Each structure stands twice: as C-alpha cells, then as structure tokens.
Amino acid sequence: MSRTTPSTILPIQRVMADATPRAWRDGIVIETRPADVVVAFLDGGVTQLRAAGADTLVSVGDPVAHHPAAEILSVGGRKTTARIA
C-alpha cells in the first residue's frame, strides 16, 4: 500500500497549529475507511475523522496526532486535513 499523499494543508492551518501547539491530541487508529479514520485518543475519547487520503495515509494501530482547531491529522511526519465527521 502506498503511504504517500499530496499535501492538503493550507498555510492558515499551519499557522493555527503552530500558534496553539497544546491543542494537539495523541491517539491510535482503531479503524480506517476510504475517507474516514476512527481514532482512540489517549485522553479517553474516540472520534471519527474525515481525512483526505485516509485509506493511503494510515493503518490500524498507527499512532497519530490531531489538531482539532487547525483540522490537521499528523501520521509519522505526514500531514493531511482531518475534520470531525
């Protein structure tokens, strides 16, 4: 499976994420779908995210970080947009 995806992050999203670094939430992928990722966050929450290129970006068990304000999902140094579904 290819794990490359073109960058979908807008400059304003990068600025928002850099301005609020404490907003990142760490978690583990527990389910993937063609356009969605379900993440169990370390703080106890479980969230379904609509993520661009989800099926090629993540696999079940991958550690991820989500920035809800900037709507960014980070996986192993790769980033894509991710909105709460």
Side-chain angles (χ1 to χ4, degrees), residues 1 5-6 9 14 16 19-20 26 31-32 35 37 39 42-43 47-48 51 57 60 69 74 77 83:
M1 160 174 49
T5 188
I9 306 300
R14 292 181 201 281
M16 287 177 62
T20 55
D26 294 325
E31 186 178 347
T32 61
V37 176
V39 178
L42 301 183
D43 63 10
T47 304
Q48 180 178 336
L57 183 66
V60 172
S74 179
R83 294 184 175 150

Short mmCIF file of all heavy atoms in Angstrom, two decimals, residues 1 5-6 9 14 16 19-20 26 31-32 35 37 39 42-43 47-48 51 57 60 69 74 77 83:
data_model
loop_
_atom_site.label_atom_id
_atom_site.label_comp_id
_atom_site.label_asym_id
_atom_site.label_seq_id
_atom_site.Cartn_x
_atom_site.Cartn_y
_atom_site.Cartn_z
N MET A 1 0.85 -1.17 0.00
CA MET A 1 0.00 0.00 0.00
C MET A 1 0.89 1.23 0.00
O MET A 1 1.80 1.36 0.79
CB MET A 1 -0.91 -0.04 1.23
CG MET A 1 -1.47 1.29 1.61
SD MET A 1 -2.69 1.30 2.94
CE MET A 1 -1.99 0.35 4.23
N THR A 5 0.79 10.91 0.07
CA THR A 5 -0.40 11.68 -0.23
C THR A 5 0.03 13.13 -0.45
O THR A 5 0.94 13.61 0.21
CB THR A 5 -1.44 11.58 0.91
OG1 THR A 5 -2.65 12.20 0.49
CG2 THR A 5 -0.98 12.23 2.18
N PRO A 6 -0.57 13.79 -1.44
CA PRO A 6 -0.19 15.19 -1.64
C PRO A 6 -0.62 16.03 -0.45
O PRO A 6 -1.59 15.71 0.23
CB PRO A 6 -0.96 15.58 -2.90
CG PRO A 6 -2.05 14.58 -3.04
CD PRO A 6 -1.57 13.33 -2.36
N ILE A 9 -2.75 20.59 3.31
CA ILE A 9 -2.76 21.56 4.39
C ILE A 9 -2.59 22.97 3.82
O ILE A 9 -1.66 23.24 3.06
CB ILE A 9 -1.61 21.27 5.39
CG1 ILE A 9 -1.68 19.84 5.89
CG2 ILE A 9 -1.63 22.26 6.54
CD1 ILE A 9 -2.93 19.48 6.61
N ARG A 14 -1.47 25.66 8.98
CA ARG A 14 -0.14 25.54 9.58
C ARG A 14 0.09 26.61 10.64
O ARG A 14 0.62 26.35 11.72
CB ARG A 14 0.94 25.64 8.50
CG ARG A 14 0.95 24.47 7.55
CD ARG A 14 2.07 24.64 6.51
NE ARG A 14 1.83 23.86 5.33
CZ ARG A 14 2.05 22.55 5.23
NH1 ARG A 14 2.52 21.89 6.26
NH2 ARG A 14 1.80 21.91 4.11
N MET A 16 -2.22 28.21 12.39
CA MET A 16 -3.06 27.91 13.55
C MET A 16 -2.44 26.82 14.42
O MET A 16 -2.44 26.91 15.64
CB MET A 16 -4.46 27.47 13.10
CG MET A 16 -5.30 28.60 12.57
SD MET A 16 -6.90 28.04 11.95
CE MET A 16 -7.62 27.36 13.43
N ALA A 19 0.52 28.16 16.28
CA ALA A 19 0.15 29.13 17.30
C ALA A 19 -0.46 28.47 18.55
O ALA A 19 -0.44 29.06 19.63
CB ALA A 19 -0.83 30.14 16.74
N THR A 20 -1.00 27.28 18.38
CA THR A 20 -1.64 26.58 19.51
C THR A 20 -1.13 25.15 19.62
O THR A 20 -1.87 24.18 19.43
CB THR A 20 -3.18 26.58 19.34
OG1 THR A 20 -3.50 26.01 18.06
CG2 THR A 20 -3.75 27.98 19.45
N ASP A 26 -3.03 13.21 20.98
CA ASP A 26 -2.40 11.97 20.54
C ASP A 26 -3.38 10.82 20.63
O ASP A 26 -4.20 10.76 21.55
CB ASP A 26 -1.18 11.66 21.41
CG ASP A 26 -0.08 12.68 21.24
OD1 ASP A 26 0.10 13.19 20.12
OD2 ASP A 26 0.61 12.97 22.23
N GLU A 31 -9.67 2.14 13.40
CA GLU A 31 -10.44 1.73 12.22
C GLU A 31 -10.15 2.69 11.08
O GLU A 31 -9.98 3.88 11.30
CB GLU A 31 -11.93 1.73 12.54
CG GLU A 31 -12.81 1.19 11.44
CD GLU A 31 -14.28 1.16 11.82
OE1 GLU A 31 -14.62 1.33 13.00
OE2 GLU A 31 -15.09 0.97 10.91
N THR A 32 -10.06 2.16 9.86
CA THR A 32 -9.90 3.00 8.69
C THR A 32 -10.99 2.68 7.68
O THR A 32 -11.47 1.54 7.60
CB THR A 32 -8.53 2.80 8.01
OG1 THR A 32 -8.42 1.46 7.57
CG2 THR A 32 -7.39 3.16 8.93
N ALA A 35 -12.54 7.25 3.38
CA ALA A 35 -12.40 8.69 3.64
C ALA A 35 -12.39 9.02 5.13
O ALA A 35 -12.35 10.19 5.50
CB ALA A 35 -13.54 9.45 2.96
N VAL A 37 -11.17 7.99 9.36
CA VAL A 37 -10.28 7.32 10.31
C VAL A 37 -10.94 7.41 11.67
O VAL A 37 -11.44 8.47 12.05
CB VAL A 37 -8.91 8.04 10.37
CG1 VAL A 37 -8.02 7.42 11.41
CG2 VAL A 37 -8.23 8.03 9.02
N VAL A 39 -10.21 7.23 15.61
CA VAL A 39 -9.05 7.34 16.48
C VAL A 39 -9.48 7.23 17.94
O VAL A 39 -10.43 7.89 18.36
CB VAL A 39 -8.32 8.68 16.26
CG1 VAL A 39 -7.14 8.83 17.20
CG2 VAL A 39 -7.88 8.82 14.80
N LEU A 42 -5.63 9.26 23.58
CA LEU A 42 -5.05 8.88 24.85
C LEU A 42 -5.78 9.48 26.04
O LEU A 42 -5.66 8.99 27.16
CB LEU A 42 -3.56 9.25 24.89
CG LEU A 42 -2.70 8.60 23.80
CD1 LEU A 42 -1.25 8.99 23.98
CD2 LEU A 42 -2.86 7.10 23.77
N ASP A 43 -6.56 10.56 25.80
CA ASP A 43 -7.34 11.16 26.88
C ASP A 43 -8.66 10.43 27.11
O ASP A 43 -9.47 10.83 27.93
CB ASP A 43 -7.59 12.64 26.63
CG ASP A 43 -8.43 12.91 25.38
OD1 ASP A 43 -8.99 11.96 24.79
OD2 ASP A 43 -8.52 14.09 24.99
N THR A 47 -12.96 9.31 18.30
CA THR A 47 -13.51 10.25 17.33
C THR A 47 -13.33 9.71 15.92
O THR A 47 -12.29 9.16 15.58
CB THR A 47 -12.80 11.62 17.43
OG1 THR A 47 -12.92 12.10 18.77
CG2 THR A 47 -13.39 12.63 16.49
N GLN A 48 -14.36 9.91 15.10
CA GLN A 48 -14.28 9.60 13.68
C GLN A 48 -13.90 10.88 12.96
O GLN A 48 -14.52 11.92 13.13
CB GLN A 48 -15.62 9.10 13.15
CG GLN A 48 -15.60 8.75 11.68
CD GLN A 48 -16.93 8.20 11.21
OE1 GLN A 48 -17.71 7.67 11.98
NE2 GLN A 48 -17.18 8.33 9.92
N ALA A 51 -10.78 12.38 6.80
CA ALA A 51 -9.39 12.73 6.49
C ALA A 51 -9.10 12.53 5.01
O ALA A 51 -9.41 11.47 4.46
CB ALA A 51 -8.44 11.89 7.33
N LEU A 57 -3.02 6.84 3.93
CA LEU A 57 -2.17 7.52 4.90
C LEU A 57 -1.95 6.73 6.18
O LEU A 57 -0.87 6.74 6.74
CB LEU A 57 -2.78 8.89 5.25
CG LEU A 57 -1.98 9.78 6.19
CD1 LEU A 57 -0.67 10.21 5.53
CD2 LEU A 57 -2.80 11.00 6.57
N VAL A 60 -4.58 0.64 10.78
CA VAL A 60 -4.99 0.35 12.16
C VAL A 60 -3.75 0.13 13.00
O VAL A 60 -2.82 -0.57 12.59
CB VAL A 60 -5.92 -0.88 12.20
CG1 VAL A 60 -6.19 -1.32 13.63
CG2 VAL A 60 -7.24 -0.57 11.49
N ALA A 69 -8.56 22.36 16.06
CA ALA A 69 -8.78 23.74 15.62
C ALA A 69 -8.25 23.98 14.21
O ALA A 69 -8.89 24.62 13.39
CB ALA A 69 -8.14 24.72 16.60
N SER A 74 -1.74 14.29 11.79
CA SER A 74 -0.33 14.01 11.55
C SER A 74 -0.08 12.54 11.83
O SER A 74 -0.46 12.01 12.87
CB SER A 74 0.53 14.87 12.48
OG SER A 74 1.89 14.58 12.28
N GLY A 77 4.98 12.03 10.58
CA GLY A 77 5.57 13.13 9.86
C GLY A 77 4.80 13.60 8.64
O GLY A 77 5.10 14.64 8.08
N ARG A 83 -11.25 16.58 9.51
CA ARG A 83 -12.37 17.19 10.24
C ARG A 83 -13.12 16.13 11.00
O ARG A 83 -13.22 14.98 10.57
CB ARG A 83 -13.33 17.85 9.26
CG ARG A 83 -12.72 19.01 8.56
CD ARG A 83 -13.74 19.69 7.69
NE ARG A 83 -13.11 20.88 7.14
CZ ARG A 83 -13.42 21.40 5.99
NH1 ARG A 83 -14.37 20.87 5.27
NH2 ARG A 83 -12.79 22.47 5.57
#
